[in-house]
Amino acid sequence: MRLNEMLFVTLRETPAEAEIPSHQLLLRAGYIRRIGSGIYAYMPLMWRVLQKVSQIVREEMNATGAQECLLPQLQPSQLWQESGRWDTYTKAEGIMFSLTDRSDRELGLGPTHEEVITTIARETIRSYRQLPLNLYQIQTKFRDEIRPRFGLMRGREFIMKDAYSFHADEASLKRTYQAMDQAYRNIMTRCGLKFRPVDADSGAIGGSGSQEFMILAEAGEDEILYTEDGNYAANTEKAVSLPPDLEDSPFSSYEKLATPETETIAKLAEVVKCSPTVIVKNVLYEVLYDNGMTVLVLINIRGDRDVNEVKLTNELTKLAPQYKGKTIISLTVPDAAAQKKWAAKDLPLGYIAPDLDDDYIVASKTVAKNFLRLVDRTVVDAKNFVTGANEVGYHVVGANWGDNFTLPELQVDIQEAKAGDRAIHDPRQILSSARGIEAGHIFQLGTKYSEAMGANFTNEQGKTEPLWMGCYGVGVSRMAQAAVEQSHDKDGIIWPVAIAPYHVVVIVPNISDAEKMAAGEKLYQEFQQAGVEVLFDDRKERAGVKFKDSELVGIPYRVVTGRSLSEGKVEVVKRATKESQDLPIEEVVATIKQWIEQDLLSKE
RNA sequence: CGGGAUGUAGCGCAGCUUGGUAGCGCACUGCUUUCGGGAAGCAGGGGGCGAAGGUUCAAAUCCUUUCAUCCCGACCA
C-alpha cells in the first residue's frame, strides 16, 4: 500500500479522552476513532490487525476440529426468557441492549450467544452419534457496559470469538475444555503476548469450572493472585487463600467496654489494643432477588479481612430458592436512605454484634423478617474475640461462640484473598499479585442451558439426556489493544510481527530525489512480489516526519533508500530495538523476508 | 446509580472572574527556501463557542434546563 494513496492521519498530540498508553497510541497513530462512548471505528490499519488476530484464532480453533459459523445479533426475547436470563440481562446486570420492533416484539442485541446456539442444538442434535461438536463465530458483540473504558478494552460494541461445544457426557466436555485451553495458549503465544491462565468466577454465564486468560499489564482491570511455584493462579474474584494466623487475644473474660468513636476496625484495634485478627467484624448487606424480595444479610468476618462480593453473590444465589427467587438483581451495603425503608430503629452502625436482633427489621411482603446470618470461615474458630455490643460507643471483648453468641449455621468462604496470604495447596507458598487484562475465558457449562431450554439427545442406551455444553470466548479487539499495552515505547507502538498491520515500511526520505525514489519504488515492487506485506511511504513529507510516523504506527521493519544508496546499500531498522544496519540493496528483500518468517515461526 | 471534571476549528488549549461580537499552537491550502529525525518565512481557508431557553442595548462569558464525554467508586459501618 502506498501511504500517499491511503487515509493516513496521525496526531502529534495525545487526545484528551485517552488515559492509558495503548488507547492514546491507537488514537494518535490513527488506528481507531471514537464515535460514541465505548463505540469505535476501526480504521484501515486497525482492521488489518484485527483480521490478523482473527485469523490466528480461526486457525487454532479449526485445528481442534471446531467449525466456524455466524449467528444472528438480533435475538428474540423469547429465547432469553426460556433460559431465564432475559430479566437478569436486561434489568439486573442491564448488559443487554433491548428493543421493541414495529410489531411490539421484544428483541435483544446479542451480548453472547448461548441461547441461540442451544436453540440450534436442540433442533439439530438428535443422537450421541453427532457428538461431540464445537461451533464458533467471530463477530461484533453488544454490551451496555456500566462504564465503557480505555478505548477497545471495554467497549459497548466489540469483536469477540465465541465457541460452544456439545457433548454426550462430562468426560467429553472435559476433553474439549482441555483442547480449548491449549488452543487459547497457542493463540496468545502466537499473538506475541505475555499471559497467564487463571482460575475464574463463572459469573452470569454460569456453569462449573472456568478459566481466564490474562494478558499481563498494569492497566489491566483484573487483579491476579498467583504463587511462584506455578501451581496456583486465580482472579482475585475467585481466589482462595489461608489468611495470616490469628493472633492471641489479650482478653480472657467476657466484658463490655466503652469504646467511643471506634466505628472503624483500625480505630477499634488501636483503642482496645488488640490485633484486627481478634476482632469479629459484622457487615450488613442488602440483597434484592428477582422476585422483588429484599433480604438483609449479616456477615461475620475477621477484622483484617474484606468481603469478596463475587463470592458473596454466588452464596446468595445458591440461597435464592429459600426466598423463592432465582437470581440477584442487586447487592449493596445499605446507605442511610436504604435503611429507612426497612429499619425499625437506628442501627448501631460501627457497633453491630453477631446477635443483632431481627426486630430491627420491619418485615413486609417484600422484606424478609430475619437477618440472613452468614459466618466467614475466618472467624469460626475465633476465641475470646472482640466485637460490637449493639450499642453505639460500646464493644465486647473476650467473647466466644457458644458462650456469648450463637455461631451462624451457614459457614462460608467469602473473604477476599490478598497478596501475602498463604496458598491453600501449599501453605509455604505466598500469593503474589499482578494485574491482567482478561482476553479469553473458557467455561464448562454443564447442562445448565440444555436443561433450561430442553436441548436433549438420545444416548447409546436409547435414553434421552440433556446435552453437556462448554463455551469459550476470546476478545479479539481487546486482545489487539492489549498487545499495544504490553508492547510500546515512548515513540509509539511496537507490534508483535504476527499481528502487525504491515511487516515492512519502505521510506524514501525525499521523493524529489529521483534516484532514491526509483530505488524505493523498485524495493516496494519486489517486496510485494516476494509476498511481504509492505507499506511504501511515498508521501511528500520530510524524512523526520516519515521516521516519526513509522515508529508511532509500529511497523516491525523499516527500509530507507537514503544516504548509503550510493554504495548500493539501504538502511534497515528494527522497530523493537531501533537497531540499524546497511544491507546491499539486492539482499534486502530476501533477508527481511527470512526475518519475518523466523519471527512467525518462533512463536508457534 | 453516586461523586468529580470537562464541552470553544480535525487535535491540544486560552478567553469566562470584571458581558462589547472569538484567539493561540499543531494540522490544512498556496508560494519561496530547506530536504535523514515531527523545517522556516510569507500569504490564506475553516469555528460563533455542546444544545435549548432566559436576562441584557449587547452573552463563550451571567442564570435555568438539557445533552454528551472523561475520570473515581461501584463496597465493610
Side-chain angles (χ1 to χ4, degrees):
Chain A
M1 185 77 212
R2 290 167 188 276
L3 275 189
N4 197 32
E5 295 170 359
M6 186 172 175
L7 176 56
F8 183 79
V9 180
T10 57
L11 304 175
R12 204 175 283 217
E13 281 163 304
T14 301
E17 74 193 57
E19 199 77 3
I20 62 173
S22 57
H23 188 197
Q24 295 174 341
L25 290 171
L26 287 176
L27 285 167
R28 270 192 63 203
Y31 281 88
I32 57 173
R33 307 277 312 175
R34 190 177 62 77
I35 301 301
S37 179
I39 306 171
Y40 286 82
Y42 310 124
M43 302 302 280
L45 286 175
M46 192 70 213
W47 186 237
R48 286 183 68 97
V49 172
L50 292 170
Q51 284 182 309
K52 294 229 174 152
V53 175
S54 298
Q55 188 53 28
I56 289 170
V57 169
R58 186 173 282 127
E59 285 168 15
E60 293 297 332
M61 292 302 292
N62 290 348
T64 68
Q67 303 164 64
E68 187 169 4
C69 61
L70 190 59
L71 304 171
Q73 287 163 302
L74 210 46
Q75 304 181 8
S77 65
Q78 203 185 349
L79 294 184
W80 290 74
Q81 260 140 12
E82 275 187 59
S83 69
R85 289 207 297 185
W86 179 258
D87 286 342
T88 36
Y89 267 59
T90 56
K91 289 179 205 152
E93 316 208 347
I95 211 163
M96 182 155 69
F97 288 106
S98 57
L99 57 116
T100 307
D101 71 12
R102 62 178 80 200
S103 311
D104 261 353
R105 286 178 289 235
E106 279 186 306
L107 300 157
L109 282 178
T112 173
H113 282 72
E114 281 83 5
E115 279 76 3
V116 171
I117 200 80
T118 308
T119 302
I120 293 171
R122 78 175 163 199
E123 289 168 1
T124 57
I125 300 175
R126 291 278 118 84
S127 157
Y128 74 94
R129 291 170 197 267
Q130 292 169 283
L131 300 172
L133 275 178
N134 193 359
L135 294 169
Y136 77 96
Q137 59 171 346
I138 297 171
Q139 175 197 63
T140 297
K141 291 278 181 281
F142 297 91
R143 292 190 186 173
D144 190 1
E145 291 287 348
I146 302 170
R147 178 145 91 90
R149 264 190 267 220
F150 304 148
L152 306 186
M153 287 296 193
R154 184 172 292 282
R156 296 196 294 170
E157 186 181 320
F158 61 97
I159 300 175
M160 178 174 174
K161 185 281 310 184
D162 47 327
Y164 306 89
S165 68
F166 300 93
H167 311 269
D169 54 41
E170 190 174 6
S172 169
L173 167 59
K174 286 192 187 298
R175 280 193 296 276
T176 296
Y177 184 81
Q178 284 309 315
M180 288 295 110
D181 175 85
Q182 188 57 52
Y184 277 35
R185 289 168 194 261
N186 296 346
I187 289 166
M188 304 283 153
T189 306
R190 282 183 62 187
C191 287
L193 297 163
K194 289 187 279 294
F195 69 100
R196 194 188 285 274
V198 302
D199 292 348
D201 181 68
S202 310
I205 303 279
S208 50
S210 92
Q211 207 174 19
E212 288 168 341
F213 291 79
M214 292 289 186
I215 296 173
L216 301 173
E218 271 312 301
E221 293 186 272
D222 291 281
E223 187 188 10
I224 302 163
L225 294 172
Y226 64 95
T227 55
E228 292 298 340
D229 67 0
N231 289 329
Y232 186 75
N235 191 312
T236 305
E237 290 177 353
K238 174 81 175 178
V240 291
S241 69
L242 296 171
D245 283 330
L246 268 173
E247 288 176 39
D248 285 336
S249 171
F251 307 102
S252 52
S253 60
Y254 184 72
E255 220 181 321
K256 180 172 161 184
L257 296 180
T259 54
E261 289 173 38
T262 54
E263 285 85 358
T264 65
I265 296 295
K267 280 191 244 165
L268 175 61
E270 200 184 311
V271 168
V272 302
K273 297 190 179 58
C274 73
S275 151
T277 63
V278 304
I279 298 172
V280 169
K281 177 162 71 173
N282 303 291
V283 185
L284 191 61
Y285 275 92
E286 178 174 330
V287 60
L288 173 62
Y289 286 108
D290 57 341
N291 58 347
M293 196 66 171
T294 294
V295 178
L296 286 317
V297 186
L298 187 61
I299 294 161
N300 321 121
I301 189 167
R302 217 168 79 180
D304 61 326
R305 310 305 294 182
D306 290 327
V307 172
N308 177 327
E309 289 191 357
V310 174
K311 288 184 183 177
L312 176 59
T313 300
N314 291 339
E315 293 297 334
L316 293 174
T317 303
K318 281 190 231 159
L319 294 169
Q322 197 172 310
Y323 298 97
K324 300 190 170 66
K326 279 195 213 116
T327 54
I328 291 172
I329 300 291
S330 71
L331 175 66
T332 52
V333 171
D335 56 18
Q339 288 168 20
K340 273 194 191 132
K341 289 179 188 154
W342 51 262
K345 48 192 171 179
D346 284 347
L347 290 155
L349 296 176
Y351 305 90
I352 293 176
D355 64 346
L356 185 69
D357 204 280
D358 290 329
D359 68 10
Y360 273 97
I361 305 174
V362 181
S364 71
K365 273 185 189 165
T366 56
V367 179
K369 67 179 187 327
N370 297 331
F371 285 109
L372 172 57
R373 295 166 196 271
L374 299 176
V375 58
D376 184 75
R377 296 214 175 101
T378 48
V379 289
V380 168
D381 297 321
K383 299 275 187 286
N384 293 317
F385 56 80
V386 176
T387 194
N390 284 334
E391 188 179 339
V392 171
Y394 292 89
H395 280 85
V396 296
V397 301
N400 286 287
W401 298 115
D403 298 342
N404 315 103
F405 299 105
T406 308
L407 184 66
E409 279 171 29
L410 295 166
Q411 298 174 14
V412 292
D413 172 24
I414 46 174
Q415 66 137 344
E416 178 135 309
K418 290 192 267 201
D421 288 357
R422 293 163 300 160
I424 300 252
H425 75 278
D426 177 356
R428 288 169 304 178
Q429 291 285 324
I430 301 300
L431 297 181
S432 302
S433 162
R435 296 204 72 84
I437 298 160
E438 181 190 346
H441 200 161
I442 59 179
F443 300 82
Q444 296 178 37
L445 292 176
T447 57
K448 172 177 172 171
Y449 294 91
S450 48
E451 280 183 49
M453 300 182 72
N456 302 316
F457 71 105
T458 305
N459 71 10
E460 223 168 333
Q461 285 76 42
K463 258 182 65 185
T464 299
E465 292 200 331
L467 288 158
W468 286 81
M469 293 176 61
C471 78
Y472 320 93
V474 168
V476 171
S477 43
R478 177 181 281 184
M479 211 158 81
Q481 184 174 335
V484 178
E485 192 60 35
Q486 221 174 46
S487 180
H488 65 268
D489 62 18
K490 66 176 171 49
D491 296 312
I493 299 170
I494 303 172
W495 286 110
V497 174
I499 60 173
Y502 288 90
H503 293 146
V504 180
V505 54
V506 175
I507 290 181
V508 181
N510 181 353
I511 61 167
S512 56
D513 182 325
E515 194 190 345
K516 286 173 179 165
M517 187 61 187
E521 186 79 48
K522 185 155 175 280
L523 278 175
Y524 174 53
Q525 302 294 346
E526 285 174 8
F527 272 118
Q528 283 187 316
Q529 279 155 21
V532 174
E533 297 174 29
V534 59
L535 270 180
F536 184 33
D537 196 344
D538 56 348
R539 292 176 299 166
K540 186 177 178 300
E541 285 290 351
R542 295 165 60 85
V545 172
K546 298 186 180 190
F547 294 151
K548 288 286 186 194
D549 275 344
S550 79
E551 279 154 9
L552 179 60
V553 169
I555 308 300
Y557 297 108
R558 177 169 94 198
V559 177
V560 188
T561 59
R563 293 184 189 120
S564 51
L565 198 62
S566 54
E567 304 157 32
K569 290 182 175 176
V570 289
E571 185 192 34
V572 177
V573 185
K574 295 182 178 172
R575 171 65 185 90
T577 59
K578 301 267 177 80
E579 191 188 332
S580 159
Q581 56 188 293
D582 287 344
L583 289 179
I585 196 164
E586 61 275 8
E587 291 173 18
V588 173
V589 174
T591 305
I592 293 184
K593 187 175 182 185
Q594 203 190 342
W595 288 350
I596 294 165
E597 280 163 4
Q598 270 171 11
D599 290 333
L600 296 176
L601 272 177
S602 65
K603 297 292 184 192
E604 282 179 8

